[in-house]
Amino acid sequence: MQNPLLRGNNRSWQRFNVLLKTRYLLDDFSWYREGVIIDISRQGASINLPIDENVALGNSIILEIITKELESITMKGEITWIKQFEKAFLIGVQFQKLLDFRLLGKIY
């Protein structure tokens, strides 16, 4: 997955800007925390996380996404890139399996 802050777009799947709250669970956590999905595709997502988060490339992550119809979708993935800002991290997550078209349509 390519960092969306870089020029060019070599992605296999179209991305959709969503600004959607999500709950996530990292490798070393036993409870969910909250973040914001910035954009999403069938293959992955960019997510804004708190700056105090302990994230690393290759970390596993579980996302719980609530659709517009209040349906819960759980996606597992891996952190493939990280961009640090003053007050937040922006991370790229590649899903273990493609997000179903029907479910993607319920998100954006």
Side-chain angles (χ1 to χ4, degrees), residues 52-87:
D52 63 343
E53 197 63 83
N54 183 22
V55 294
L57 292 177
N59 278 151
S60 293
I61 187 168
I62 298 172
L63 297 177
E64 182 182 80
I65 305 165
I66 306 299
T67 68
K68 294 177 278 188
E69 292 95 17
L70 301 179
E71 180 181 345
S72 179
I73 300 169
T74 302
M75 295 297 294
K76 294 179 182 179
E78 179 180 319
I79 297 175
T80 57
W81 57 263
I82 301 168
K83 176 79 175 172
Q84 183 174 347
F85 294 94
E86 188 175 319
K87 297 184 180 184

Side-chain angles (χ1 to χ4, degrees), residues 39-56:
D39 62 38
I40 193 164
S41 74
R42 291 195 66 207
Q43 186 177 15
S46 298
I47 305 166
N48 188 306
L49 304 181
I51 193 67
D52 63 343
E53 197 63 83
N54 183 22
V55 294

Side-chain angles (χ1 to χ4, degrees), residues 12-67:
S12 301
W13 299 99
Q14 181 180 358
R15 288 235 164 197
F16 301 95
N17 296 326
V18 290
L19 294 178
L20 183 65
K21 285 186 180 181
T22 186
R23 292 177 2 126
Y24 64 91
L25 187 63
L26 291 170
D27 283 336
D28 57 347
F29 280 177
S30 56
W31 69 92
Y32 279 90
R33 295 192 57 178
E34 291 189 0
V36 177
I37 298 174
I38 304 299
D39 62 38
I40 193 164
S41 74
R42 291 195 66 207
Q43 186 177 15
S46 298
I47 305 166
N48 188 306
L49 304 181
I51 193 67
D52 63 343
E53 197 63 83
N54 183 22
V55 294
L57 292 177
N59 278 151
S60 293
I61 187 168
I62 298 172
L63 297 177
E64 182 182 80
I65 305 165
I66 306 299
T67 68

